[in-house]
PDB file of all heavy atoms in Angstrom:
ATOM      1  N   HIS A 964     107.106  87.477  97.167  1.00 98.00           N
ATOM      2  CA  HIS A 964     108.180  88.416  96.847  1.00 98.00           C
ATOM      3  C   HIS A 964     109.199  88.451  97.981  1.00 98.00           C
ATOM      4  O   HIS A 964     108.915  88.021  99.102  1.00 98.00           O
ATOM      5  CB  HIS A 964     107.611  89.827  96.657  1.00 98.00           C
ATOM      6  CG  HIS A 964     106.779  90.325  97.818  1.00 98.00           C
ATOM      7  ND1 HIS A 964     105.427  90.345  97.825  1.00 98.00           N
ATOM      8  CD2 HIS A 964     107.171  90.817  99.040  1.00 98.00           C
ATOM      9  CE1 HIS A 964     104.973  90.802  98.975  1.00 98.00           C
ATOM     10  NE2 HIS A 964     106.014  91.084  99.755  1.00 98.00           N
ATOM     11  N   PHE A 965     110.371  88.944  97.666  1.00 98.00           N
ATOM     12  CA  PHE A 965     111.353  89.365  98.655  1.00 98.00           C
ATOM     13  C   PHE A 965     111.143  90.840  98.948  1.00 98.00           C
ATOM     14  O   PHE A 965     110.634  91.581  98.080  1.00 98.00           O
ATOM     15  CB  PHE A 965     112.786  89.188  98.141  1.00 98.00           C
ATOM     16  CG  PHE A 965     113.287  87.780  98.132  1.00 98.00           C
ATOM     17  CD1 PHE A 965     113.210  87.005  96.952  1.00 98.00           C
ATOM     18  CD2 PHE A 965     113.853  87.220  99.252  1.00 98.00           C
ATOM     19  CE1 PHE A 965     113.690  85.703  96.940  1.00 98.00           C
ATOM     20  CE2 PHE A 965     114.353  85.927  99.243  1.00 98.00           C
ATOM     21  CZ  PHE A 965     114.255  85.168  98.092  1.00 98.00           C
ATOM     22  N   HIS A 966     111.568  91.320 100.100  1.00 98.00           N
ATOM     23  CA  HIS A 966     111.705  92.742 100.319  1.00 98.00           C
ATOM     24  C   HIS A 966     113.096  93.166  99.848  1.00 98.00           C
ATOM     25  O   HIS A 966     114.085  92.468 100.089  1.00 98.00           O
ATOM     26  CB  HIS A 966     111.500  93.092 101.801  1.00 98.00           C
ATOM     27  CG  HIS A 966     110.086  92.916 102.243  1.00 98.00           C
ATOM     28  ND1 HIS A 966     109.700  93.082 103.544  1.00 98.00           N
ATOM     29  CD2 HIS A 966     108.955  92.619 101.516  1.00 98.00           C
ATOM     30  CE1 HIS A 966     108.384  92.877 103.627  1.00 98.00           C
ATOM     31  NE2 HIS A 966     107.928  92.581 102.421  1.00 98.00           N
ATOM     32  N   GLY A 972     110.588  93.853 107.911  1.00 98.00           N
ATOM     33  CA  GLY A 972     109.765  92.656 108.007  1.00 98.00           C
ATOM     34  C   GLY A 972     108.299  92.965 107.757  1.00 98.00           C
ATOM     35  O   GLY A 972     107.933  94.026 107.217  1.00 98.00           O
ATOM     36  N   GLU A 973     107.462  92.037 108.153  1.00 98.00           N
ATOM     37  CA  GLU A 973     106.043  92.132 107.842  1.00 98.00           C
ATOM     38  C   GLU A 973     105.296  91.247 108.834  1.00 98.00           C
ATOM     39  O   GLU A 973     105.852  90.250 109.307  1.00 98.00           O
ATOM     40  CB  GLU A 973     105.848  91.620 106.425  1.00 98.00           C
ATOM     41  CG  GLU A 973     104.449  91.680 105.880  1.00 98.00           C
ATOM     42  CD  GLU A 973     104.451  91.428 104.355  1.00 98.00           C
ATOM     43  OE1 GLU A 973     105.410  91.840 103.656  1.00 98.00           O
ATOM     44  OE2 GLU A 973     103.521  90.801 103.892  1.00 98.00           O
ATOM     45  N   ILE A1006     107.096  87.782 109.733  1.00 98.00           N
ATOM     46  CA  ILE A1006     107.932  87.441 108.585  1.00 98.00           C
ATOM     47  C   ILE A1006     109.201  88.256 108.637  1.00 98.00           C
ATOM     48  O   ILE A1006     109.182  89.491 108.697  1.00 98.00           O
ATOM     49  CB  ILE A1006     107.175  87.733 107.270  1.00 98.00           C
ATOM     50  CG1 ILE A1006     105.909  86.869 107.194  1.00 98.00           C
ATOM     51  CG2 ILE A1006     108.071  87.514 106.062  1.00 98.00           C
ATOM     52  CD1 ILE A1006     104.906  87.315 106.157  1.00 98.00           C
ATOM     53  N   HIS A1012     108.068  85.595 100.819  1.00 98.00           N
ATOM     54  CA  HIS A1012     106.842  85.076 101.420  1.00 98.00           C
ATOM     55  C   HIS A1012     105.747  84.967 100.375  1.00 98.00           C
ATOM     56  O   HIS A1012     105.568  85.828  99.538  1.00 98.00           O
ATOM     57  CB  HIS A1012     106.394  85.958 102.594  1.00 98.00           C
ATOM     58  CG  HIS A1012     106.723  87.383 102.464  1.00 98.00           C
ATOM     59  ND1 HIS A1012     107.996  87.912 102.569  1.00 98.00           N
ATOM     60  CD2 HIS A1012     105.922  88.464 102.252  1.00 98.00           C
ATOM     61  CE1 HIS A1012     107.968  89.214 102.402  1.00 98.00           C
ATOM     62  NE2 HIS A1012     106.721  89.565 102.189  1.00 98.00           N
ATOM     63  N   VAL A1026      97.743  92.180 106.345  1.00 97.00           N
ATOM     64  CA  VAL A1026      99.191  92.285 106.356  1.00 97.00           C
ATOM     65  C   VAL A1026      99.578  93.705 106.747  1.00 97.00           C
ATOM     66  O   VAL A1026      98.924  94.666 106.350  1.00 97.00           O
ATOM     67  CB  VAL A1026      99.757  91.933 104.954  1.00 97.00           C
ATOM     68  CG1 VAL A1026     101.234  92.134 104.905  1.00 97.00           C
ATOM     69  CG2 VAL A1026      99.392  90.515 104.568  1.00 97.00           C
ATOM     70  N   TRP A1028     103.138  96.275 106.888  1.00 95.00           N
ATOM     71  CA  TRP A1028     104.521  96.404 106.453  1.00 95.00           C
ATOM     72  C   TRP A1028     104.893  97.876 106.398  1.00 95.00           C
ATOM     73  O   TRP A1028     104.040  98.727 106.561  1.00 95.00           O
ATOM     74  CB  TRP A1028     104.699  95.724 105.068  1.00 95.00           C
ATOM     75  CG  TRP A1028     104.102  96.499 103.910  1.00 95.00           C
ATOM     76  CD1 TRP A1028     104.776  97.309 103.024  1.00 95.00           C
ATOM     77  CD2 TRP A1028     102.719  96.542 103.521  1.00 95.00           C
ATOM     78  NE1 TRP A1028     103.895  97.859 102.130  1.00 95.00           N
ATOM     79  CE2 TRP A1028     102.655  97.393 102.400  1.00 95.00           C
ATOM     80  CE3 TRP A1028     101.558  95.973 104.005  1.00 95.00           C
ATOM     81  CZ2 TRP A1028     101.435  97.689 101.752  1.00 95.00           C
ATOM     82  CZ3 TRP A1028     100.323  96.258 103.380  1.00 95.00           C
ATOM     83  CH2 TRP A1028     100.297  97.085 102.259  1.00 95.00           C
ATOM     84  N   CYS A1032     109.809  99.185 102.215  1.00 96.00           N
ATOM     85  CA  CYS A1032     110.470  97.870 102.214  1.00 96.00           C
ATOM     86  C   CYS A1032     110.995  97.507 100.819  1.00 96.00           C
ATOM     87  O   CYS A1032     111.986  96.796 100.690  1.00 96.00           O
ATOM     88  CB  CYS A1032     109.548  96.777 102.744  1.00 96.00           C
ATOM     89  SG  CYS A1032     108.132  96.410 101.699  1.00 96.00           S
ATOM     90  N   GLY A1033     110.321  97.992  99.795  1.00 96.00           N
ATOM     91  CA  GLY A1033     110.670  97.599  98.424  1.00 96.00           C
ATOM     92  C   GLY A1033     110.197  96.175  98.143  1.00 96.00           C
ATOM     93  O   GLY A1033     110.298  95.315  99.001  1.00 96.00           O
ATOM     94  N   HIS A1034     109.654  95.969  96.954  1.00 96.00           N
ATOM     95  CA  HIS A1034     109.129  94.650  96.589  1.00 96.00           C
ATOM     96  C   HIS A1034     109.891  94.088  95.401  1.00 96.00           C
ATOM     97  O   HIS A1034     109.914  94.681  94.342  1.00 96.00           O
ATOM     98  CB  HIS A1034     107.644  94.738  96.275  1.00 96.00           C
ATOM     99  CG  HIS A1034     106.800  95.006  97.482  1.00 96.00           C
ATOM    100  ND1 HIS A1034     106.377  96.292  97.841  1.00 96.00           N
ATOM    101  CD2 HIS A1034     106.326  94.200  98.429  1.00 96.00           C
ATOM    102  CE1 HIS A1034     105.677  96.202  98.970  1.00 96.00           C
ATOM    103  NE2 HIS A1034     105.630  94.955  99.355  1.00 96.00           N
TER     104      HIS A1034
HETATM  105 MN1   MN B2247     106.018  91.560 101.839  1.00 64.45          MN
END
Side-chain angles (χ1 to χ4, degrees):
H964 55 257
F965 283 97
H966 290 175
E973 182 168 326
I1006 299 166
H1012 33 288
V1026 176
W1028 73 101
C1032 67
H1034 290 96

